[in-house]
Amino acid sequence: MKPSFERLKKLMKTKYRLPIAISNFYFGQFLKFRKKSYAHPFWAQIEPTNYCNLKCKMCVQSTDPFLKRSFLSYEDFKIILGKLPFTIGLMLQGFGEPFLNKDLIKMIRYSSNKGYIVETTSNGTLITNSVAEKIITSGLDSITFSLDGAKKESYEFYRIGSNFENVVRNIKNLSELRKKKNSDLKIHINSIVTKRNYNELPSLVDLCDEMNIDEVFLGFMLVQGDFPIEFNTEQKIHPNESKLTNYLQKSLDKAKSLGLKMHVNVFYNGKCDSPWTRIYVNYDGTVTPCCVIIKKTMGNLIKEDFDKIWNGKDYIEFRRNLIKGEPPKECAGCPGALGFISKNSK
């Protein structure tokens, strides 16, 4: 995430944060890939809950590796945020459905008023009319909905417990309310491309255009850690496979003609910079190196000082292994350990 002018306008609401946040961003970019991090993370992902109302087949929710399930309290959220004064943006999402946390809107409003750029993701099942009204007035900058496929059959094959028609209706209602209220909220779609749904990509573009979506992000199955390895390996399709490339190009061309931004992640041999630029905080305050590693904790941001964690021995060892080109075992199978580039529609 780069601090574009549109994003900087949020920081300008609280002028004291603007110079320190932007200085930290560029300082951090310049001094990346050292054992110690000489800048604070400019992006934080904070988990409101690890409860979910779905059991998606490709998600850790289906393997259930959690020792405990609970919710992040509003008071603990404020403690965590108070230790991240240099951070530019927040993603309020983790391994659960954020809107199950009754305090989510309060968290969004609090952090937005503090000048943070605030985003969240959702499966879309709980976005009723009343929730949509609260979202529009909360100060949320963007929301991303998970929609794996353009047809009921493929979507519900993966998203166990969901209903395709209801989710599409909820997204449309939010989009229409945004227009009615003249809101700046950005609405995005994230879709995991698989062997089962890749031929629906052009139809997905049409559906997103119908819902007035701002951007579409196409991702691929994660085969690592506590994710369902066997199922995800079976369903995984690589973006360079010949049977997929034609559908990808058609989709990109159609998106461009409709003025819809569409991004496809294509992997290459690069460097993961998450341990230098981002921080992931679970609902209980425990810190992990990234958003897909569950069991390797670096400390607890509710109970400990930020600097003790960020440049503690565990983080230093983790970074050292990445620098040496020897990703820790927790990173095995993760495309993020190789980096990624984006092929864009515009």
Side-chain angles (χ1 to χ4, degrees):
M1 183 202 73
K2 294 183 178 179
S4 64
F5 179 73
E6 182 177 336
R7 293 178 181 272
L8 293 183
K9 287 191 293 186
K10 174 69 76 73
L11 284 170
M12 290 176 186
K13 289 182 179 179
T14 52
K15 294 180 181 179
Y16 78 94
R17 291 197 65 242
L18 180 61
I20 60 173
I22 300 306
S23 298
N24 177 73
F25 173 82
Y26 287 106
F27 189 63
Q29 291 287 61
F30 180 70
L31 292 174
K32 278 192 303 188
F33 306 124
R34 290 164 169 78
K35 288 182 292 184
K36 282 191 174 183
S37 178
Y38 295 94
H40 284 225
F42 54 83
W43 187 255
Q45 186 166 346
I46 302 174
E47 180 181 60
T49 183
N50 61 354
Y51 277 110
C52 193
N53 58 336
L54 302 183
K55 285 284 185 182
C56 301
K57 291 182 179 179
M58 63 289 198
C59 180
V60 294
Q61 291 289 343
S62 66
T63 63
D64 196 16
F66 309 108
L67 296 175
K68 180 183 176 183
R69 291 178 184 266
S70 191
F71 298 92
L72 173 65
S73 73
Y74 180 58
E75 292 305 315
D76 283 345
F77 172 74
K78 290 193 291 184
I79 291 173
I80 292 169
L81 205 61
K83 296 181 181 181
L84 299 170
F86 297 92
T87 297
I88 294 174
L90 303 177
M91 169 61 79
L92 298 183
Q93 182 261 343
F95 287 107
E97 167 54 40
F99 285 91
L100 286 172
N101 189 317
K102 62 181 177 59
D103 290 324
L104 179 67
I105 297 297
K106 284 172 64 178
M107 294 175 185
I108 294 170
R109 185 169 290 113
Y110 178 82
S111 46
S112 178
N113 289 339
K114 290 283 186 181
Y116 292 87
I117 297 155
V118 192
E119 303 180 352
T120 191
T121 69
S122 173
N123 59 36
T125 58
L126 304 177
I127 312 301
T128 61
N129 290 339
S130 62
V131 172
E133 290 274 359
K134 293 174 183 177
I135 289 172
I136 293 296
T137 59
S138 67
L140 186 66
D141 290 277
S142 73
I143 184 169
T144 299
F145 293 103
S146 301
L147 197 66
D148 308 312
K151 297 181 180 178
K152 180 182 179 68
E153 294 75 20
S154 55
Y155 170 81
E156 293 183 6
F157 173 78
Y158 294 110
R159 301 275 167 182
I160 305 301
S162 188
N163 179 282
F164 179 74
E165 293 89 353
N166 289 347
V167 169
V168 170
R169 183 192 66 233
N170 290 346
I171 298 172
K172 283 183 177 178
N173 287 346
L174 178 63
S175 181
E176 290 168 2
L177 184 62
R178 171 182 65 169
K179 182 178 180 181
K180 179 181 178 182
K181 300 289 187 178
N182 196 28
S183 167
D184 292 328
L185 174 71
K186 300 297 182 185
I187 303 176
H188 302 154
I189 291 294
N190 184 73
S191 186
I192 299 175
V193 184
T194 70
K195 290 179 180 178
R196 190 182 185 94
N197 68 15
Y198 73 90
N199 59 345
E200 298 175 23
L201 288 174
S203 298
L204 179 66
V205 172
D206 288 330
L207 178 59
C208 289
D209 181 58
E210 180 184 334
M211 295 188 295
N212 291 313
I213 300 302
D214 296 294
E215 294 187 60
V216 181
F217 299 89
L218 302 181
F220 299 87
M221 285 288 192
L222 281 174
V223 183
Q224 72 172 112
D226 292 298
F227 285 81
I229 303 296
E230 184 175 347
F231 178 81
N232 287 8
T233 300
E234 175 191 322
Q235 294 292 315
K236 186 178 178 67
I237 189 169
H238 194 277
N240 291 329
E241 287 190 37
S242 57
K243 63 182 179 181
L244 172 60
T245 52
N246 183 47
Y247 285 100
L248 279 179
Q249 195 56 55
K250 282 183 179 179
S251 303
L252 288 166
D253 291 343
K254 176 176 279 193
K256 186 174 182 178
S257 70
L258 294 171
L260 174 65
K261 294 180 180 179
M262 191 173 196
H263 311 274
V264 186
N265 291 335
V266 183
F267 309 125
Y268 81 117
N269 291 326
K271 294 181 179 179
C272 169
D273 67 357
S274 288
W276 289 268
T277 62
R278 300 165 183 261
I279 189 169
Y280 182 88
V281 188
N282 293 296
Y283 73 89
D284 59 357
T286 53
V287 174
T288 58
C290 80
C291 62
V292 296
I293 296 176
I294 297 175
K295 295 174 181 176
K296 185 176 182 62
T297 60
M298 304 300 202
N300 190 303
L301 200 53
I302 295 172
K303 301 175 181 178
E304 301 173 71
D305 291 337
F306 171 84
D307 290 328
K308 181 181 177 182
I309 299 171
W310 191 238
N311 279 311
K313 61 181 180 64
D314 290 335
Y315 250 120
I316 287 175
E317 181 183 0
F318 194 88
R319 295 185 186 111
R320 182 189 293 120
N321 288 334
L322 285 179
I323 293 167
K324 289 172 12 183
E326 301 172 1
K329 62 180 181 179
E330 293 84 5
C331 301
C334 177
L338 300 176
F340 68 92
I341 57 175
S342 289
K343 183 188 293 183
N344 302 319
S345 62
K346 59 183 292 186

